Amino acid sequence: MTDAFIYDAARTPRGKGRPDGSLHEVTSLALSARLLNAVKERNGLEGHAVEDVIWGNVTQVKEQGGCLARSAVLASDLDERIPGLSINRFCASGMEAVNLAANQIRGGAGQAYIAGGVEMMGRVAMGSDGAAIAVDPSLAMKTYFVPQGISADIIATEYGFSREDADNLALESQRRAAQAWQEGRFARSIVPVLDQNGLTILDRDEYMRPGTTPDDLAKLKPAFKEMGEAMPGFDKVAMLKYPHLDRIEHIHHAGNSSGIVDGAAAVLIGNAEFGKAHGLKPRARIRATAKIGTDPTIMLTGPVPVTEKILADSGMAISDIDLFEVNEAFASVVLRFMQAFQVDPARVNVNGGAIAMGHPLGATGAIIIGTLLDELERQDRQVGLATLCIASGMGAATIIERV
């Protein structure tokens, strides 16, 4: 098969996903077009340079509805002959866009793609599109549906993680993110967001709370305890599925769960011929991709089996991986991953994660691939794995290797 290489990875800063967030007045279309233009300019792309733009976004209604990918192409300076494909694999949408593009290149369907995603969570509220698994009783009852926060608490209960464990991981995420920004580790990837006059709206992730202390987190009430324990309550639903549990320990709150933010990310992927034609040097090869379905009630354990799958498919072992990016949807997701594979925490989310900087749903998968690549280069390491848990019980993963 043809190798698929990463030539560039870029992202916007993440703005607070609420009315007082810096990106609140920026539409999904405008932010997407801004990033596509940046990729075009950074890499000197002219004419019909890429086969397609594959763009992930989760809440595909209102301004994020229709085929946002095609709309973004038309709103950008890219050639109008470049089509666009919008996809939705929930929180892994940005990663799935990258993986789909890579696999099309590997199969010979085009020489290059721009892939990534966007989510303006402060403008288009999460869940406002409805979802059959949550709103259709016939499916919700069949799958023992509970909200994701309850799922995260089930993981904590099932695998023995305490609130202190979760809070310590959150504090470390904040510390690492602050250090990464202080040391300029994101500089190569960040594309500042400008207004129509060329003035900077946002050039730095604004959700971070680097001064967070253990006492600050200790004061926060469990976010999902009330919905879990209210009668009839989601805890009862969960215990019908897992009768060996006599109760659900509610350890997650706003401080150890991912932040609601706005943001976008893009990855330029091409074969060797594309690079030669455009005078570009590949930064990494996409070595393997994987996706998997998992238990829809506990829902968020996907990073473990999908990592097992991608390693088996590629003939690799966990010891072959130098660095990991595991999306911090909730603290227990990352804790479970590290527990399952006994990996050194110093190699996981080196620059912090979504607890500190936020999780713009459709963009995060592409963000963590870019972050992983930057960090492999900074540390002069070779192989990295990025993975996410996914709503409704799925997992996705990508292994990249520097060249």
Side-chain angles (χ1 to χ4, degrees), residues 194-214:
L194 311 178
D195 67 13
Q196 60 186 3
N197 298 313
L199 300 177
T200 300
I201 298 174
L202 187 66
D203 60 4
R204 181 181 179 88
D205 293 325
E206 70 173 346
Y207 183 81
M208 297 186 299
R209 299 178 178 86
T212 302
T213 67

Side-chain angles (χ1 to χ4, degrees), residues 226-255:
E226 185 173 340
M227 72 169 65
E229 295 181 352
M231 296 302 293
F234 287 108
D235 285 6
K236 297 294 186 183
V237 175
M239 288 186 286
L240 287 173
K241 182 72 171 288
Y242 314 113
H244 63 283
L245 300 178
D246 57 11
R247 66 191 304 267
I248 306 298
E249 298 291 342
H250 293 287
I251 71 164
H252 289 93
H253 50 72

Side-chain angles (χ1 to χ4, degrees), residues 152-212:
D153 287 337
I154 297 171
I155 294 173
T157 306
E158 178 73 11
Y159 295 101
F161 305 126
S162 68
R163 174 157 171 165
E164 182 180 11
D165 294 331
D167 286 358
N168 286 340
L169 186 143
L171 290 167
E172 184 64 6
S173 181
Q174 295 285 356
R175 187 195 68 79
R176 293 183 183 188
Q179 181 179 8
W181 271 104
Q182 289 166 4
E183 296 181 0
R185 297 184 190 178
F186 300 129
R188 181 170 185 174
S189 296
I190 290 293
V191 175
V193 182
L194 311 178
D195 67 13
Q196 60 186 3
N197 298 313
L199 300 177
T200 300
I201 298 174
L202 187 66
D203 60 4
R204 181 181 179 88
D205 293 325
E206 70 173 346
Y207 183 81
M208 297 186 299
R209 299 178 178 86
T212 302

Side-chain angles (χ1 to χ4, degrees), residues 28 57-68 86 118-121 124:
S28 306
N57 65 289
V58 174
T59 310
Q60 296 187 356
V61 294
K62 301 179 181 179
E63 67 185 53
Q64 291 186 170
C67 183
L68 180 59
S86 289
V118 68
E119 206 78 33
M120 303 303 287
M121 300 180 74
V124 184

Side-chain angles (χ1 to χ4, degrees), residues 85-107:
L85 170 65
S86 289
I87 66 166
N88 182 1
R89 199 187 290 279
F90 295 125
C91 297
S93 296
M95 175 177 285
E96 188 62 29
V98 172
N99 290 354
L100 180 58
N103 289 330
Q104 296 231 49
I105 292 168
R106 294 166 79 186

